[in-house]
Amino acid sequence: MRLLLIGPPGSGKGTQGARLAARLGIEHIAAGDLLRAEVKAETPLGRQVTALMQRGDLVPDEVILSLLLPKVLAAAEANGYLLDGFPRSVDQAVEARKLAEQAGASPDHVIYLDVPREELMRRILARAEIEGRADDNPETVANRLKVFEEATHPLVDYYRERGLLRVVDANQDQDAVTEAILGALDAE
């Protein structure tokens, strides 16, 4: 199974990605985690994207594709993948689709985690206190949500038009969200 998990910051992509990948026996690939690891390791790529991430801006397409594509292709050849946090724009989706189709690694399903904005703000700021994530402060969060609305939310229509999209109410407890996603996948 090849699955994309999209949703605004704080919608639960990381939590649900880990849960679903374990349940489905596929690899969980989290774009944000990979980028934060590059920043922490102070790699050339990490140094290149640090300022962008601190502002909550999108990382350039060619950079994120070069980081993710080898991992996605390897996982697709194995048991499959659950990719969360990518693509973040229709342009990224179009480019990734071209490359994935050539390799036979296109997603089978796209799940959109839907959560009201007020709840997103509450979740992200609570996470910042617990995890100490530098990219989770009020200014950055507001910018990330604005960037999501402008750049990422159009993916909902993009994937809906392709018949891949399933919308899940992610404003409920984690177990209920997991079961709703699994139910959406079984409804195929």
Side-chain angles (χ1 to χ4, degrees):
M1 177 176 288
R2 298 179 306 264
L3 177 64
L4 298 183
L5 200 56
I6 61 173
S11 61
K13 294 182 300 293
T15 298
Q16 293 303 322
R19 287 170 155 237
L20 292 164
R23 292 267 299 263
L24 299 170
I26 58 179
E27 185 175 347
H28 177 214
I29 303 168
D33 291 348
L34 294 174
L35 286 168
R36 281 186 288 278
E38 294 287 325
V39 169
K40 184 176 181 179
E42 297 182 3
T43 66
L45 188 145
R47 288 190 296 276
Q48 180 182 353
V49 301
T50 297
L52 292 170
M53 290 176 65
Q54 287 174 342
R55 288 191 308 268
D57 292 338
L58 293 180
V59 172
D61 293 355
E62 63 277 359
V63 173
I64 194 73
L65 283 168
S66 70
L67 178 65
L68 288 175
L69 196 60
K71 295 180 184 321
V72 169
L73 295 179
E77 288 182 20
N79 293 335
Y81 62 81
L82 184 148
L83 180 56
D84 91 55
F86 182 86
R88 289 187 57 189
S89 70
V90 172
D91 288 344
Q92 283 182 350
V94 169
E95 187 60 29
R97 181 176 161 214
K98 287 180 203 170
L99 297 169
E101 283 179 350
Q102 291 170 4
S106 296
D108 302 312
H109 310 281
V110 178
I111 300 293
Y112 174 69
L113 299 177
D114 191 25
V115 180
R117 183 181 179 92
E118 301 77 31
E119 176 62 12
L120 295 170
M121 291 290 290
R122 187 198 66 72
R123 288 181 184 185
I124 295 169
L125 295 175
R127 177 177 70 191
E129 287 183 31
I130 294 168
E131 296 178 12
R133 283 179 41 175
D135 58 340
D136 284 347
N137 59 65
E139 296 78 26
T140 301
V141 170
N143 189 53
R144 288 173 64 203
L145 291 174
K146 179 179 178 252
V147 168
F148 175 82
E149 282 302 317
E150 293 171 356
T152 308
H153 197 265
L155 285 171
V156 171
D157 291 332
Y158 176 82
Y159 287 120
R160 183 177 285 128
E161 290 168 6
R162 280 151 190 74
L164 296 172
L165 185 76
R166 303 293 176 266
V167 177
V168 171
D169 175 9
N171 192 25
Q172 48 187 331
D173 73 72
Q174 295 174 359
D175 292 337
V177 175
T178 302
E179 293 308 316
I181 293 169
L182 292 170
L185 295 174
D186 286 342
E188 295 288 311

